[in-house]
Amino acid sequence: MTLKYEPVVTQSVAKQISEQIRRSITNGSLKADDKLPTEAELARQFNVSRPTIREALKRLAAKSLIRSRRGPTGGTFVRAPSMEDMSQDLISSVALMVSLGVFDLTEIAEARHELELACIRLAIKRRTGAETNRMAAEINLQKDQSLTDEEFCASDVRFHRALVDATHNPVMQFQMFTVIEALQPVENMVIFRFRQRKKIIEQHEKILHALLARDLARAEKAIDEQMVYLRESFSQAQEWRRKRDEAKRTASPT
């Protein structure tokens, strides 16, 4: 029996080169601020044209792995990406998974609840005035009744970002960056019709006061209260959507 296969499509040469250089960075062969060979030297090493090298370097720059500097001491250097840089691809992936229904609101709420409890336990011990001042400033802003829903949601995100920063744990901050920057805005977009600003502000104040007092029991209770409230808001939002979709199906001609 003869098997038939589709033609194999190989990766572009530029992509293969960029992957080789990326592996040199991730395995430590190339370190932050190391200077890469010139385009001409890389072209000779890989036996390709300079435009191909240029394309490979563009791929690496798009991932924030390298940077270029002009002048006598210029060239192309390995870049140490910030947490925000490294998180952008992850945020995009998470947002896509939410939009495609891979994650539902209940799962998001459950994960966020557990992660924020972990954050508050570290923040109680490590928070500084810098973080609590930021949280207080956001609460004051949230009390401005002229804020649009979008502005209120943005302030809500910044409040919780300050809470995460108060852990002073870079791994936790990186992990929570996705939750705060990708998942929380999705939550806010869905439930803003069903939550009361006054209630959210009161919950934020409880979290802040517990942090200031370094009272873990009160802090955990405040987080529990807000997450339960958000879950109730999710349920209301889902029921509203269900009824809306049902009404649309009923109204549409057969």
Side-chain angles (χ1 to χ4, degrees):
M1 178 172 132
T2 303
L3 297 176
K4 293 184 178 180
Y5 295 101
E6 295 295 324
V8 175
V9 178
T10 59
Q11 294 180 335
S12 73
V13 175
K15 184 175 181 180
Q16 293 179 58
I17 292 170
S18 69
E19 283 300 306
Q20 287 193 48
I21 298 174
R22 184 189 65 80
R23 283 195 294 271
S24 295
I25 295 171
T26 55
N27 68 22
S29 299
L30 286 171
K31 295 180 172 53
D33 297 323
D34 279 354
K35 186 176 181 179
L36 296 182
T38 65
E39 287 184 4
E41 290 168 339
L42 286 170
R44 284 195 296 272
Q45 289 179 24
F46 286 103
N47 194 27
V48 296
S49 66
R50 289 183 65 174
T52 299
I53 293 298
R54 227 169 271 132
E55 175 61 27
L57 295 178
K58 284 181 182 178
R59 289 173 177 270
L60 293 168
K63 295 179 180 179
S64 300
L65 291 173
I66 61 172
R67 58 183 172 80
S68 297
R69 190 169 69 207
R70 297 181 180 277
T73 60
T76 303
F77 299 84
V78 176
R79 184 172 183 265
S82 66
M83 185 184 302
E84 289 79 5
D85 291 331
M86 295 300 291
S87 299
Q88 286 308 312
D89 288 342
L90 187 57
I91 288 174
S92 298
S93 298
V94 169
L96 178 62
M97 294 177 82
V98 171
S99 67
L100 293 176
V102 179
F103 299 151
D104 66 29
L105 290 176
T106 303
E107 292 166 339
I108 292 171
E110 181 180 56
R112 181 181 167 191
H113 189 172
E114 295 303 318
L115 289 168
E116 291 221 18
L117 283 174
C119 286
I120 203 72
R121 290 167 191 143
L122 291 175
I124 282 289
K125 297 180 286 188
R126 300 176 181 176
R127 62 88 180 152
T128 68
E131 294 91 32
T132 54
N133 287 342
R134 283 165 55 196
M135 295 168 77
E138 294 302 334
I139 291 173
N140 287 334
L141 178 62
Q142 290 161 16
K143 292 178 179 178
D144 182 352
Q145 296 184 358
S146 69
L147 285 184
T148 64
D149 289 324
E150 184 178 40
E151 290 168 338
F152 186 90
C153 289
S155 178
D156 183 30
V157 168
R158 292 193 297 270
F159 177 90
H160 286 274
R161 187 188 301 153
L163 170 61
V164 174
D165 288 345
T167 67
H168 292 274
N169 182 307
V171 177
M172 182 65 78
Q173 290 168 347
F174 179 79
Q175 183 180 28
M176 286 298 291
F177 193 91
T178 304
V179 176
I180 301 299
E181 301 296 333
L183 296 182
Q184 189 173 337
V186 171
E187 294 174 350
N188 287 339
M189 181 175 63
V190 171
I191 67 171
F192 76 91
R193 292 185 181 88
F194 305 95
R195 70 177 186 181
Q196 299 176 28
R197 290 189 184 187
K198 182 179 178 181
K199 189 77 171 175
I200 294 295
I201 293 169
E202 288 174 354
Q203 292 163 349
H204 284 171
E205 288 178 328
K206 289 179 181 180
I207 293 170
L208 176 59
H209 293 159
L211 275 176
L212 290 171
R214 297 194 189 275
D215 187 329
L216 178 57
R218 279 173 56 195
E220 289 178 330
K221 184 178 179 181
I223 292 292
D224 286 340
E225 180 182 325
Q226 182 161 81
M227 293 303 114
V228 168
Y229 179 69
L230 291 178
R231 288 190 190 191
E232 291 172 351
S233 299
F234 291 152
S235 296
Q236 292 175 7
Q238 289 175 318
E239 179 63 14
W240 176 80
R241 281 185 166 184
R242 185 190 67 77
K243 289 181 178 179
R244 181 198 62 184
D245 294 343
E246 185 177 317
K248 284 182 178 180
R249 285 194 298 270
T250 304
S252 62
T254 57

